[in-house]
Amino acid sequence: MGGSALNQGVLEGDDAPGQSLYERLSQRMLDISGDRGVLKDVIREGAGDLVAPDASVLVKYSGYLEHLDRPFDSNYFRKTPRLMKLGEDITLWGMELGLLSMRRGELARFLFKPNYAYGTLGCPPLIPPNTTVLFEIELLDFLDSAESDKFCALSAEQQDQFPLQKVLKVAATEREFGNYLFRQNRFCDAKAPCWVCCG
């Protein structure tokens, strides 16, 4: 995921003098926000279900400004990316919408208009005001933690009344989260019950 390869891929076969790189790229992208504020181009298809609205996601990403070859933000070179919960840990509305359109293993490119990214003020000195940004996002995995969140929010009495099938689903999710944390050598977090809702 490098800016030079990105720029070359967009420019190949494009004959549109006067248009910016992102304008040319946007012409062949899918509108997933309904107002062309979040545009998507699938680089590699994923498999399985779409990301659930209350999921915790494991992603690799790089964010680019239009005229720079290096990303202004990236976790791509970290050995172990952090698991992030939708609605809590992701600060860009465009990234949240983009992730909800993805499947496990998918790699996609997104353009986020300012109102879905850093807004009219930007994020000085890195992001200028009213800037459209490009993100390449790879969805490594996700866990649907909605049922666990509900279960953890209940009192002990209410948890005793929770249907068995739902308790089994919560247990499976908690096991997956625990295994993920164990693989990251976060042993204390891995053994804590209901870590999904407790942080």
Side-chain angles (χ1 to χ4, degrees):
M1 288 201 274
S4 299
L6 165 72
N7 293 350
Q8 183 177 352
V10 173
L11 294 173
E12 285 175 4
D14 285 335
D15 247 351
Q19 284 189 324
S20 75
L21 179 67
Y22 284 4
E23 287 170 337
R24 284 178 283 182
L25 181 61
S26 71
Q27 291 173 358
R28 64 176 193 223
M29 297 178 86
L30 177 66
D31 177 11
I32 63 168
S33 60
D35 61 359
R36 301 209 49 85
V38 179
L39 302 174
K40 177 181 181 181
D41 181 30
V42 176
I43 299 169
R44 182 183 68 231
E45 295 283 347
D49 295 329
L50 290 172
V51 171
D54 292 316
S56 292
V57 296
L58 192 61
V59 297
K60 288 196 173 184
Y61 65 84
S62 293
Y64 298 89
L65 297 174
E66 187 166 12
H67 302 292
L68 297 178
D69 282 345
R70 290 184 171 212
F72 65 83
D73 185 18
S74 181
N75 75 346
Y76 208 78
F77 300 105
R78 289 184 196 152
K79 186 177 178 183
T80 52
R82 184 173 69 92
L83 201 62
M84 297 184 293
K85 182 142 180 70
L86 294 179
E88 292 178 17
D89 299 323
I90 297 170
T91 56
L92 297 183
W93 179 230
M95 185 180 283
E96 185 113 1
L97 287 178
L99 285 165
L100 289 170
S101 74
M102 297 181 77
R103 302 175 193 277
R104 279 183 184 89
E106 183 175 331
L107 174 62
R109 183 177 294 147
F110 296 91
L111 279 177
F112 304 146
K113 293 286 175 71
N115 54 326
Y116 288 93
Y118 298 94
T120 56
L121 299 178
C123 189
L126 215 51
I127 314 292
N130 289 312
T131 299
T132 295
V133 294
L134 182 139
F135 271 80
E136 287 187 359
I137 301 173
E138 181 179 10
L139 179 64
L140 303 173
D141 202 358
F142 74 90
L143 294 170
D144 184 357
S145 57
E147 211 66 66
S148 291
D149 293 343
K150 285 182 200 170
F151 184 79
C152 290
L154 297 175
S155 68
E157 282 182 6
Q158 291 170 319
Q159 287 179 351
D160 287 343
Q161 303 301 316
F162 216 60
L164 178 60
Q165 284 306 107
K166 291 186 177 185
V167 171
L168 293 174
K169 185 175 179 183
V170 168
T173 302
E174 292 294 317
R175 185 187 73 243
E176 288 182 63
F177 275 119
N179 288 341
Y180 163 78
L181 291 167
F182 183 83
R183 286 190 298 272
Q184 299 223 336
N185 296 323
R186 292 171 57 188
F187 304 117
C188 289
D189 292 335
K191 70 178 184 174
C194 272
W195 86 270
V196 177
C197 47
C198 304

